[in-house]
Amino acid sequence: MAAAISALNAKIRSQPVLNYVFSTHFWGPVSNFGIPIAAVMDTKKDPEIISGKMTAALTLYSGTFMRYSMAVTPKNYLLFACHFVNFGAQLTQGYRYMQYWHYGGKEATAQGILNTTRKEAEELAVDGQKMLSSAKDKVTK
């Protein structure tokens, strides 16, 4: 049994593609891709829930490991791509955080909601006046 496993391992390791797929240079970045996927999906969410400290930490983390992925031998381009995507997504989140909390985004959002609500209320008032007029006309006839 041990000889069969050893022969299978030797066969896998002799083929460059399979050797790469069965290495940590492949599975590390693949399992790590959950972080940038989540970060990209979070760009559609409300900026009020963004944590500035966590965004800064993940930006530094991705920047550090982008450098690390090029420093190891052999260079790990898949890890670089993973952290490059995450770095970009975290910078986007950082921009959204700063815009919302420090550069008037929160107030603009509140003003937009207020304007929308005011417009809807005015439309409802006009509809109510029309219904009242219609009912008044039916009663007077």
Side-chain angles (χ1 to χ4, degrees):
M1 180 68 167
I5 291 173
S6 182
L8 179 63
N9 188 31
K11 184 172 177 83
I12 289 171
R13 299 297 176 189
S14 68
Q15 297 177 7
V17 173
L18 287 178
N19 186 34
Y20 178 69
V21 170
F22 285 98
S23 73
T24 57
H25 275 263
F26 176 76
W27 288 107
V30 167
S31 62
N32 201 30
F33 252 107
I35 296 170
I37 289 170
V40 169
M41 292 180 71
D42 283 349
T43 59
K44 302 292 182 197
K45 293 183 180 175
D46 187 11
E48 187 173 11
I49 63 172
I50 298 171
S51 167
K53 291 179 182 178
M54 190 64 178
T55 299
L58 285 170
T59 303
L60 289 172
Y61 160 77
S62 286
T64 301
F65 279 91
M66 273 196 302
R67 171 68 181 103
Y68 168 79
S69 69
M70 294 292 108
V72 296
T73 305
K75 290 181 180 1
N76 194 336
Y77 295 107
L78 189 57
L79 184 63
F80 180 84
C82 173
H83 287 293
F84 181 79
V85 170
N86 191 36
F87 189 77
Q90 295 304 329
L91 286 178
T92 301
Q93 290 292 77
Y95 171 78
R96 292 178 68 227
Y97 174 82
M98 293 299 289
Q99 179 66 30
Y100 186 79
W101 290 105
H102 299 288
Y103 297 117
K106 185 176 183 181
E107 291 79 14
T109 301
Q111 187 64 40
I113 291 170
L114 180 65
N115 291 340
T116 302
T117 306
R118 183 178 295 134
K119 185 177 178 182
E120 289 173 358
E122 289 170 356
E123 289 172 1
L124 285 172
V126 168
D127 290 345
Q129 288 293 333
K130 287 179 184 176
M131 290 172 70
L132 183 63
S133 297
S134 175
K136 191 187 262 187
D137 289 343
K138 287 181 183 177
V139 170
T140 57
K141 286 185 182 181

